[in-house]
């Protein structure tokens, strides 16, 4: 795997994702932001289905090879209800860690997955004979 340290970029991406309120069936703003992030990171193609699902593709090889599917929910179930739920989530950043609504519930894992894809793509692009198994 690549030795590049993505910690600061990953932390910032996770924070930006978590700042966007995305209650169930109201994920459109997050989806638009996420689409831009995917393109900026390394995805070769990003498309949105009629229902709003995002699908990103990263081409690792011009030949047939293994495929990896990463799945994440965009909605966040909040412990807050009513008018308070429409406000940006309460997030805290301390010692390189983010806590708050949405971080543990998918957005943290989603950010980590996106950066993992980027690291794999960068690593494999250095040596086209490599596979995901490292041979």
């Amino acid at each position: 795997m690549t030795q590049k340290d993505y910690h600061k970029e990953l932390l910032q991406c996770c924070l930006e994702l978590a700042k966007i309120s995305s209650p169930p069936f109201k994920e459109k703003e997050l989806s638009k932001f996420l689409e831009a992030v995917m393109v900026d990171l390394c995805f070769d193609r990003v498309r949105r289905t009629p229902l709003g699902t995002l699908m990103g593709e990263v081409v690792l090889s011009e030949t047939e090879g293994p495929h990896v599917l990463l799945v994440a929910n965009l909605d966040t179930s909040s412990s807050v209800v009513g008018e308070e739920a429409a406000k940006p989530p309460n997030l805290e950043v301390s010692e390189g860690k983010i806590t708050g609504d949405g971080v543990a519930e998918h957005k943290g894992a989603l950010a980590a997955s996106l950066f993992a894809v980027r690291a794999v793509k960068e690593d494999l692009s250095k040596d086209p004979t490599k596979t995901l198994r490292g041979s």
Side-chain angles (χ1 to χ4, degrees), residues 38-116:
M38 291 168 74
V39 169
D40 287 346
L41 281 178
C42 72
F43 284 74
D44 299 301
R45 288 182 280 281
V46 180
R47 69 181 179 97
R48 184 187 318 270
T49 67
L51 295 177
T53 301
L54 279 177
M55 293 191 292
E57 183 178 358
V58 175
V59 178
L60 298 175
S61 169
E62 293 302 320
T63 62
E64 283 296 317
H67 293 79
V68 178
L69 174 65
L70 304 172
V71 179
N73 291 344
L74 298 184
D75 65 333
T76 301
S77 301
S78 178
S79 56
V80 182
V81 294
E83 289 181 24
E84 291 294 312
K87 293 181 180 176
N90 184 20
L91 301 169
E92 290 184 31
V93 181
S94 176
E95 298 179 20
K97 298 175 184 167
I98 304 171
T99 57
D101 281 346
V103 176
E105 186 185 26
H106 305 298
K107 291 179 182 176
L110 177 57
S113 295
L114 295 174
F115 276 82

Side-chain angles (χ1 to χ4, degrees), residues 27-37 48 54 74:
E27 303 96 343
K28 189 173 187 176
E29 182 184 353
L30 179 61
S31 179
K32 285 181 179 179
F33 176 77
L34 184 57
E35 184 174 10
V37 168
R48 184 187 318 270
L54 279 177
L74 298 184

Side-chain angles (χ1 to χ4, degrees), residues 8-18 33 37 111 114-115:
K8 288 180 185 175
E9 287 179 85
L10 173 57
L11 188 69
Q12 186 61 38
C13 179
C14 180
L15 187 59
E16 294 301 318
L17 289 172
F33 176 77
V37 168
L114 295 174
F115 276 82

